[in-house]
Amino acid sequence: MIDSLYRWVDDRLNISGGTRKLLNKIFPDHWSFMLGEIALYSFVILVLTGIFLSLYFVPSQKDVIYHGSYLPLDGTHMSEAYASTINLSFSVRTGLLMRQMHHWAANIFVGSIVVHMCRIFFTGGFRRPREFNWIIGVNLLILAIFNGFLGYSLPDDLVSGTGIRIAFSILEALPIVGSYLATFLFGGNYPGTAIIPRFFILHVLILPAIIAALIGAHLGLLVKQKHTQFAGNGATERNVVGSPMWPIFIAKTNGFLFLVAGVTAALGAAVQINPIWQYGPYVPYHVSYAVQPDWYMGWLDGALRVMPSWEIVFPGHMIPNAFFPGILLPGITFTLLMMWPMLEARIRNDTLEHQILEEPRNNPWRTSIGAAVLSFYFVLFGASATDVLANYLQVSLNTVLITFRVLCILVPLIVGPVTYKICLELQHQHRPTKTKRHNIVMRSAEGGYSTIEVQARPGDERTILPPIPVDAMILVNDDGEPILADGGPVTVGAGAGPGAGSGRGNGSRGLFRIPRSYR
Amino acid sequence: MGLRLLRKILVPFAALVLAAAIATIAMGHTHSTTAASTPSMSPEAMQLASLASQTTKGQLAEGYQLFAAHCSFCHGTRADGTTGIAPNLQGLGAGTVDLWLSTGWMPLKTPSAQPENKVPSFSPSQIRAIAMWVASLRPGGVPLAPKLDLKSASLSTGFSLFTLNCAPCHTITGAGDALADGYHAPPLHGISAAQVWEAVRSGPQNMPIFGDRNITPSQLEDIVRYVTQKIEHPQNPGGLGLGGVGPVAEGFLGLFAGVGACLAAAYWVGDRTEREEEEDPHGHGTDHGPEGPETAPEGAHA
Ligand code: HEM
């Protein structure tokens, strides 16, 4: 049935050539290559649940009076946006589950992007020729964070409204253009009536479209440039080892889609997120103490909190305090992140192409810098909870604030060197110690000693032996002797043509193992 | 091989269906149970309110004795603070004393100790006796909480007044928070209607005093109803409430439980092929035609 349908379509559109190629794309078997897929699938879930939400959500700031099933809000003035989100939560069947799944998926989406990015960073997967895909990835992260912020603002409740207020003043803090830009983006002064409709279009249409396009480009480049891979299993710079797209990878990845969806559904069903009915509608002169954004904005909130209140005055222009944590910090963060592949290549003078990933321990410099920077942002995220912590530990808020100021400098300074040391320990290898120089010791007539440096005698020079990589699997012939491939790669596997394999290979896995040549 | 493939898809799919089913059931359940809740006063509050109308000579005497035994060491025998280690209580009213005793804040162990919420040291009638005796020393101050008519109070006015007056310190969910310089606004859980009333009128420690003109008696009833019902028993139809502390708790959970579970899933799925090969070395290469020649170009990396 499916077969004949396929043939019918193929006869007309001739898709099999390209598809065949795609179906045979080789995917590495290491589990860390599934991390990007968490992000992909949580995006799929976001789109699906998001479409459901947009059926009921009314993006309008028109003032309405609520009469619904949540009594504490009965007869209260609120925006249509807030009222429709309340209805979505209480009156629409599965509406609350969809809202919660959407929100949990957003948290997981950004989280998995970060984890995925760490994998790429610490293994050097961004090196030539993949700098471009790294840059696309960083842009995806920025867009995901930004879209999350927009979505968080849509319900127009007290907590998110306070967040928009903060965002507005951060924009205003931009030197010179700030206040114009802010009034332009928000369609007038804060709060105005244009924010929610504008945020809505950006949130459900424009940014998701850009994100989808970038994901397409990201994956397209991945297919074109092929995966990187860890050494071992016979992987080299010149081959690809893994399972083909069809049928193994398709099966794995579909199962994985269900698992990610299951995690989101379980969280959405069991744990409440963003109970906006408890927060009430946004009213500019109402404030709740201690409102925080979602975690992916949390590091910015933390930075705003720990930033000492300096105000720098240039002649004729004052830079407001919010500029440093609110604009300079993310600006520097994302610029450096985007430039990192080029920076590292320049610093290490490395212009080679790399298909084999590095074990993080083998590049202690990069690993320790990455760990230190990561710990810095983690401390900032923690700092967005200063009040919660102070309350929980029953200590003074100021003590906690000052502690975090110290921590966000101290922790990276400790994490960096410690990681460096751990990397070295993990390498299990002795670094070349001081080498002897070739000297002749002379004794003068007076009894003093002196040395003259000389050429080493032949065969006595200082040599450093290159570490010899050992294959995870060494092919042996029937006598147990290793097969050494001097004439060219020996390819094993049922798919590699007759005679090449010893029957040990596995056709549908299509594993290609090519022994390195021994020097 | 077909079977194995099927299993790979079906097992997670079954998990998903199960999760969704549990989800729908759980949501339906919480929906129906949280809709109805009746306004109520704690028994002690009722008792206190009804006792308030009838003070007897005997009670004043009991109050005097209890005060002399437990409080006068710090507050002075006439509750006038002449000892210098504790404030003057005269003129503060019975309501203030009732709040400080029914929350367990008083008596302190040492004058420098911080008042903390604990089980009250006295029975409701003893508390009332002490409160009436202190109030009898000088008129004025905050009276005992009257009998509150919470049934006819408006929840929505209460919510909005709470947002305006109380959320700036106690947070919008009443979870409590650290204010500047070591002051804490306590969580508004596990307190009685009378305590809320007395706290608003008397303004303990760093909390402002809200008089009749700030918050009218009927508005105060609205607030008390909102606090005792929706703050103390928040409607959490969505599942676990996470203590009402908001996005930070959600973020930690999303990262560690959400992303963590996905990572575990990735680990489980991702290394699957490796293990299957060990189970079944002569694999499934046969029923699916070898596609070797097409895969070969993958091997030749440019
Ligand atoms: C890039 C991916 C996306 C992220 C990170 C994201 C994030 C969010 C967040 C955090 C909320 C707040 C939910 C809450 O009230 O608790 C939200 C609301 C919303 N999102 Fe998304 N979203 C994304 C994509 C989409 C898409 C593709 C659509 C529609 C097709 C959509 C439609 C909506 C709607 C209508 C709301 C408001 C309803 C509500 O607040 O419950 N979202 N989004």
Side-chain angles (χ1 to χ4, degrees):
Chain A
M1 213 339 248
I2 293 179
D3 241 26
S4 59
L5 183 69
Y6 174 75
R7 223 157 278 141
W8 187 85
V9 175
D10 192 34
D11 277 351
R12 271 132 261 253
L13 302 177
N14 188 23
I15 50 172
S16 70
T19 324
R20 176 64 51 108
K21 216 168 176 180
L22 197 64
L23 290 184
N24 285 331
K25 175 174 165 40
I26 300 284
F27 283 84
D29 270 338
H30 196 266
W31 67 275
S32 71
F33 285 83
M34 310 284 285
L35 299 184
E37 275 155 59
I38 306 179
L40 181 62
Y41 295 141
S42 29
F43 181 65
V44 171
I45 296 165
L46 279 169
V47 172
L48 293 181
T49 51
I51 290 174
F52 181 95
L53 295 180
S54 7
L55 298 180
Y56 299 94
F57 178 75
V58 185
S60 149
Q61 272 161 292
K62 205 173 104 218
D63 186 61
V64 293
I65 297 178
Y66 175 80
H67 292 292
S69 60
Y70 188 66
L71 287 182
L73 288 170
D74 194 48
T76 305
H77 282 267
M78 54 180 67
S79 67
E80 262 189 306
Y82 182 74
S84 65
T85 317
I86 293 286
N87 280 331
L88 198 48
S89 313
F90 284 97
S91 310
V92 176
R93 203 159 262 283
T94 71
L96 183 56
L97 178 64
M98 288 295 160
R99 264 196 68 225
Q100 300 200 146
M101 276 182 72
H102 192 72
H103 207 139
W104 282 119
N107 274 352
I108 294 178
F109 181 48
V110 190
S112 56
I113 294 179
V114 172
V115 175
H116 172 61
M117 215 156 144
C118 288
R119 205 283 277 153
I120 306 289
F121 180 87
F122 287 114
T123 58
F126 55 80
R127 291 169 303 170
R128 197 180 159 192
R130 295 183 178 76
E131 300 99 325
F132 201 61
N133 232 3
W134 168 265
I135 293 176
I136 293 181
V138 176
N139 280 295
L140 275 170
L141 174 64
I142 299 173
L143 288 171
I145 292 179
F146 193 55
N147 210 32
F149 169 73
L150 293 178
Y152 185 72
S153 308
L154 285 183
D156 201 23
D157 59 284
L158 184 68
V159 173
S160 70
T162 314
I164 304 183
R165 166 82 254 189
I166 296 174
F168 187 79
S169 29
I170 288 179
L171 258 187
E172 274 187 318
L174 254 179
I176 306 169
V177 291
S179 49
Y180 303 104
L181 196 66
T183 32
F184 172 70
L185 282 181
F186 285 71
N189 211 340
Y190 184 81
T193 53
I195 306 173
I196 299 295
R198 284 185 183 190
F199 277 19
F200 180 71
I201 289 300
L202 282 172
H203 178 78
V204 304
L205 190 68
I206 298 175
L207 289 192
I210 300 177
I211 291 178
L214 284 183
I215 291 181
H218 197 69
L219 297 182
L221 267 180
L222 180 79
V223 173
K224 191 170 154 58
Q225 296 181 326
K226 301 187 178 64
H227 271 87
T228 49
Q229 55 199 353
F230 282 110
N233 248 350
T236 73
E237 291 283 2
R238 303 188 52 78
N239 69 359
V240 181
V241 176
S243 320
M245 175 96 143
W246 179 266
I248 296 296
F249 186 73
I250 286 278
K252 273 210 241 185
T253 200
N254 266 320
F256 196 48
L257 166 62
F258 291 137
L259 283 170
V260 174
V263 169
T264 320
L267 272 177
V271 191
Q272 180 165 288
I273 187 165
N274 206 13
I276 50 149
W277 55 92
Q278 294 175 7
Y279 300 158
Y282 181 61
V283 182
Y285 52 85
H286 284 180
V287 279
S288 163
Y289 195 71
V291 292
Q292 294 102 359
D294 269 353
W295 75 265
Y296 42 82
M297 297 285 284
W299 55 283
L300 285 172
D301 186 48
L304 277 172
R305 290 179 187 216
V306 294
M307 179 73 197
S309 52
W310 299 331
E311 257 156 19
I312 298 197
V313 183
F314 276 114
H317 198 93
M318 192 205 54
I319 297 183
N321 188 243
F323 174 75
F324 301 99
I327 291 174
L328 203 62
L329 176 73
I332 292 179
T333 304
F334 290 120
T335 312
L336 277 185
L337 210 53
M338 251 185 270
M339 300 301 294
W340 180 265
M342 282 65 84
L343 285 178
E344 194 192 284
R346 168 87 34 109
I347 292 168
R348 297 173 71 196
N349 214 351
D350 176 2
T351 51
L352 298 177
E353 293 210 342
H354 298 275
Q355 320 293 349
I356 294 284
L357 294 173
E358 279 174 310
E359 294 285 348
R361 62 168 179 263
N362 288 340
N363 195 330
W365 267 112
R366 185 203 297 134
T367 305
S368 50
I369 290 177
V373 170
L374 213 56
S375 69
F376 173 69
Y377 289 102
F378 200 78
V379 173
L380 282 189
F381 169 47
S384 73
T386 39
D387 54 311
V388 178
L389 284 174
N391 195 38
Y392 185 71
L393 304 172
Q394 291 290 312
V395 288
S396 161
L397 184 61
N398 300 37
T399 317
V400 178
L401 256 185
I402 291 168
T403 313
F404 268 103
R405 273 185 201 152
V406 176
L407 282 183
C408 69
I409 295 169
L410 203 63
V411 169
L413 286 183
I414 295 173
V415 166
V418 168
T419 313
Y420 191 84
K421 187 75 190 146
I422 292 177
C423 286
L424 292 191
E425 290 293 325
L426 284 178
Q427 282 176 8
H428 277 306
Q429 88 182 25
H430 298 288
R431 330 200 74 227
T433 44
K434 268 190 194 152
T435 42
K436 283 189 198 150
R437 269 179 274 151
H438 304 274
N439 290 331
I440 293 178
V441 182
M442 313 265 282
R443 182 168 185 242
S444 65
E446 292 80 40
Y449 290 95
S450 62
T451 57
I452 307 172
E453 213 164 302
V454 294
Q455 286 283 310
R457 273 173 299 185
D460 215 11
E461 303 94 348
R462 174 182 167 222
T463 49
I464 296 174
L465 297 175
I468 300 171
V470 180
D471 279 341
M473 179 179 176
I474 297 174
L475 299 173
V476 291
N477 62 18
D478 292 341
D479 302 329
E481 294 163 353
I483 301 171
L484 298 186
D486 288 319
V490 173
T491 317
V492 192
S502 46
R504 176 191 310 271
N506 181 327
S508 64
R509 273 192 80 193
L511 259 194
F512 286 77
R513 300 188 182 89
I514 302 163
R516 272 155 222 267
S517 46
Y518 295 90
R519 238 163 290 148
Chain B
M1 176 203 105
L3 200 71
R4 180 169 292 111
L5 206 68
L6 219 56
R7 215 193 309 145
K8 265 184 183 150
I9 303 183
L10 280 186
V11 171
F13 184 69
L16 173 65
V17 171
L18 199 69
I22 295 173
T24 351
I25 294 170
M27 308 287 282
H29 179 69
T30 39
H31 253 310
S32 52
T33 50
T34 46
S37 43
T38 45
S40 66
M41 260 168 103
S42 77
E44 300 128 281
M46 299 259 234
Q47 211 174 345
L48 265 181
S50 70
L51 280 171
S53 49
Q54 4 143 349
T55 321
T56 61
K57 274 256 159 59
Q59 266 178 330
L60 284 184
E62 185 194 1
Y64 168 75
Q65 278 164 4
L66 284 168
F67 194 90
H70 299 281
C71 322
S72 58
F73 169 72
C74 293
H75 287 281
T77 39
R78 305 245 354 123
D80 50 9
T82 43
T83 54
I85 49 177
N88 180 1
L89 302 181
Q90 288 190 9
L92 288 181
T96 312
V97 178
D98 176 48
L99 174 69
W100 283 73
L101 291 183
S102 63
T103 49
W105 293 342
M106 285 292 142
L108 290 177
K109 287 222 173 58
T110 64
S112 54
Q114 277 297 306
E116 278 171 17
N117 286 26
K118 51 182 182 293
V119 181
S121 319
F122 308 99
S123 72
S125 74
Q126 286 175 322
I127 290 178
R128 216 186 122 274
I130 301 174
M132 293 322 279
W133 179 76
V134 174
S136 73
L137 297 173
R138 186 189 292 179
V142 180
L144 285 180
K147 197 171 186 326
L148 297 170
D149 178 17
L150 294 187
K151 278 223 174 63
S152 62
S154 155
L155 264 183
S156 55
T157 314
F159 187 8
S160 136
L161 287 169
F162 182 85
T163 316
L164 183 63
N165 294 300
C166 322
C169 294
H170 291 281
T171 79
I172 190 76
T173 55
D177 214 338
L179 309 175
D181 295 324
Y183 295 124
H184 298 264
L188 300 180
H189 296 299
I191 46 178
S192 70
Q195 284 169 345
V196 179
W197 192 95
E198 285 159 357
V200 172
R201 287 297 185 228
S202 70
Q205 288 190 318
N206 292 295
M207 177 163 155
I209 298 173
F210 296 90
D212 270 2
R213 266 186 294 168
N214 266 324
I215 295 178
T216 66
S218 84
Q219 285 178 332
L220 185 49
E221 286 188 345
D222 300 339
I223 294 181
V224 171
R225 177 163 181 206
Y226 183 72
V227 171
T228 49
Q229 275 181 29
K230 291 299 163 183
I231 294 289
E232 297 199 36
H233 309 284
Q235 208 162 321
N236 289 334
L240 296 178
L242 300 182
V245 293
V248 172
E250 294 164 0
F252 269 102
L253 201 78
L255 281 182
F256 289 104
V259 180
C262 288
L263 288 183
Y267 189 73
W268 184 63
V269 174
D271 276 353
R272 214 73 196 125
T273 32
E274 234 61 52
R275 246 170 287 138
E276 265 179 14
E277 224 198 17
E278 286 156 20
E279 284 163 22
D280 181 8
H282 296 295
H284 23 275
T286 42
D287 60 6
H288 193 306
E291 253 135 33
E294 275 88 4
T295 44
E298 293 275 353
H301 218 296

